[in-house]
Amino acid sequence: MPLTKYSLGSVRKGLRNPDLVWTELCKYLWSAHRTAYELRHGDGVDVMAEDWDDLLILDACRYDAFAARNRIDGTLESRLSAGSSSPGWIDANFSGETHHDTVYVSGNAFTADIGDDVFHAIYTVPPEPVTEAEAVDADAITNPEILEDSYVIRPETVVEKAIEAHERHPRKRLIVHFLQPHVPLIGETGLEIYQQIASEGDLSSLSRGGRGNRFGALNVQLYRVVEDDAFDIDIVDLRRAYAETLELVLPYAEQLTRELPGKSVISADHGELLGERLLPFTDRKYGHFEYLAADELRRVPWHIVDSDDRRRTVEEAPIESARMDEEEVTEKLRVLGYR
């Protein structure tokens, strides 16, 4: 077995382009960083093996942020997520398994990667356009037309779909996957940031791969914009925008703990980096990446809202789920900031 994957040609290419050498070195550094983290902390919780009737997932929710802002009755613990991104979390928890006693309601487009035989049913929540009333809700939004063609996945719509799913399948466990506090950051400070970006820049230049962005300001690649220093966005404002988006979704999670019978757990698929330096001399990191591991990404809330009214679940063969087609998935991934 060769000691290295690199050939003499690779060395020559690296000498001609030192940036390639730095890129490869970074890959090894982050791989070693992740390996060291997992050796110390383990692989993460198997959410399906835990005791709950309703599992409410807040996408990209850090444990520390939840602990600082949560006012929902219950017992707060923490767990180590099995992934640093939604695809990693989905793969670690559901790949190759069958949970025909469970229904999944999701505002996350990566749910499309789950096989048809894993759950009894999967219901997806579509993006919805931002209304003018919402656009002017923040005092600083003086030009609401800037947010035209912007889309969000509303927490209230997720709640509606979750209640409908429970009424349709009263003897099933229920996973409810909210999008927030994942980008787009839709609190007052977040809207101000998006307005700044839309006012000063070309939105089409901010879409991944150089393709035109068919969505408005809310759906630009926010963290890439911040990392590139394309605009003067203060890290304190960015963190405030994240916190406001978390505060926005918490009442909807609390509503489900009251309206759905049984024991509820509020957790997250992964956390979020908000300008931390994970290694000395490295750039600040924003967002989430499966190749990284750190407490800000892997430590998630596990907030237990207990109940004496437990559900008796039954397993039944999967039904045909309301899946999105490929174009819908692509559009939803744009809303998530991945396209």
Side-chain angles (χ1 to χ4, degrees):
M1 179 179 295
L3 296 177
T4 176
K5 66 177 182 179
Y6 301 112
S7 65
L8 184 58
S10 301
V11 174
R12 289 174 179 152
K13 186 182 293 185
L15 291 173
R16 290 194 301 269
N17 190 345
D19 285 346
L20 292 177
V21 177
W22 175 245
T23 298
E24 289 299 304
L25 177 60
C26 286
K27 287 180 182 178
Y28 276 107
L29 286 173
W30 292 127
S31 177
H33 180 259
R34 178 182 175 122
T35 300
Y37 184 90
E38 292 181 343
L39 285 173
R40 180 179 179 184
H41 297 284
D43 294 332
V45 63
D46 177 356
V47 298
M48 300 307 295
E50 297 286 324
D51 179 33
W52 47 265
D53 297 302
D54 305 299
L55 178 63
L56 314 180
I57 298 297
L58 308 182
D59 205 303
C61 182
R62 294 165 56 132
Y63 171 78
D64 57 354
F66 183 92
R69 291 160 183 84
N70 174 55
R71 301 294 182 269
I72 302 171
D73 289 340
T75 303
L76 177 59
E77 302 174 1
S78 73
R79 294 286 191 276
L80 192 72
S81 173
S84 298
S85 67
S86 297
W89 180 79
I90 287 171
D91 184 62
N93 282 288
F94 311 135
S95 180
E97 300 191 4
T98 54
H99 302 286
H100 295 169
D101 63 346
T102 304
V103 170
Y104 197 144
V105 176
S106 181
N108 185 308
F110 287 111
T111 308
D113 294 338
I114 300 174
D116 291 332
D117 191 48
V118 176
F119 293 107
H120 176 64
I122 297 176
Y123 297 100
T124 58
V125 182
E128 301 170 83
V130 174
T131 66
E132 182 174 332
E134 291 169 319
V136 299
D137 189 50
D139 292 339
I141 301 298
T142 56
N143 298 307
E145 65 274 8
I146 284 175
L147 297 180
E148 287 180 358
D149 296 324
S150 289
Y151 285 73
V152 293
I153 297 171
R154 306 182 194 281
E156 56 266 41
T157 306
V158 174
V159 167
E160 292 170 6
K161 295 287 186 182
I163 293 173
E164 290 172 5
H166 169 67
E167 291 173 348
R168 193 174 295 127
H169 310 283
R171 300 188 67 185
K172 298 290 182 287
R173 298 172 97 192
L174 188 63
I175 300 175
V176 183
H177 198 142
F178 291 93
L179 177 59
Q180 291 77 25
H182 194 290
V183 292
L185 305 179
I186 54 177
E188 182 172 337
T189 304
L191 290 177
E192 293 172 3
I193 291 172
Y194 289 115
Q195 185 199 32
Q196 175 188 348
I197 293 170
S199 299
E200 299 177 10
D202 177 6
L203 295 185
S204 66
S205 69
L206 301 176
S207 61
R208 195 178 298 261
R211 291 172 293 179
N213 188 357
R214 63 170 294 184
F215 294 107
L218 251 68
N219 310 121
V220 300
Q221 302 289 327
L222 178 59
Y223 291 136
R224 181 166 68 85
V225 170
V226 175
E227 287 177 345
D228 291 348
D229 289 326
F231 302 89
D232 184 22
I233 298 173
D234 191 284
I235 189 173
V236 174
D237 290 339
L238 187 72
R239 291 175 175 176
R240 182 183 300 116
Y242 173 86
E244 289 174 0
T245 304
L246 172 57
E247 290 169 350
L248 185 151
V249 74
L250 286 175
Y252 294 100
E254 182 178 22
Q255 178 184 348
L256 286 183
T257 67
R258 296 194 310 266
E259 297 192 18
L260 294 175
K263 177 180 180 179
S264 296
V265 168
I266 304 173
S267 188
D269 50 354
H270 54 81
E272 192 81 313
L273 294 171
L274 296 170
E276 286 79 13
R277 299 184 194 275
L278 300 187
L279 290 173
F281 311 113
T282 60
D283 293 335
R284 294 183 183 276
K285 287 289 185 180
Y286 300 87
H288 45 273
F289 313 87
E290 194 55 38
Y291 64 85
L292 293 181
D295 269 1
E296 294 85 358
L297 284 177
R298 299 290 287 274
R299 185 67 56 186
V300 296
W302 192 264
H303 186 69
I304 303 166
V305 183
D306 232 324
S307 172
D308 294 329
D309 182 21
R310 300 299 303 273
R311 291 208 288 276
R312 291 187 178 182
T313 60
V314 296
E315 293 190 7
E316 295 179 286
I319 65 172
E320 184 176 354
S321 294
R323 297 287 191 139
M324 297 179 292
D325 61 30
E326 185 175 347
E327 182 178 353
E328 290 173 319
V329 171
T330 299
E331 292 186 357
K332 199 167 184 180
L333 287 172
R334 289 181 187 270
V335 174
L336 284 165
Y338 290 105
R339 293 288 189 271

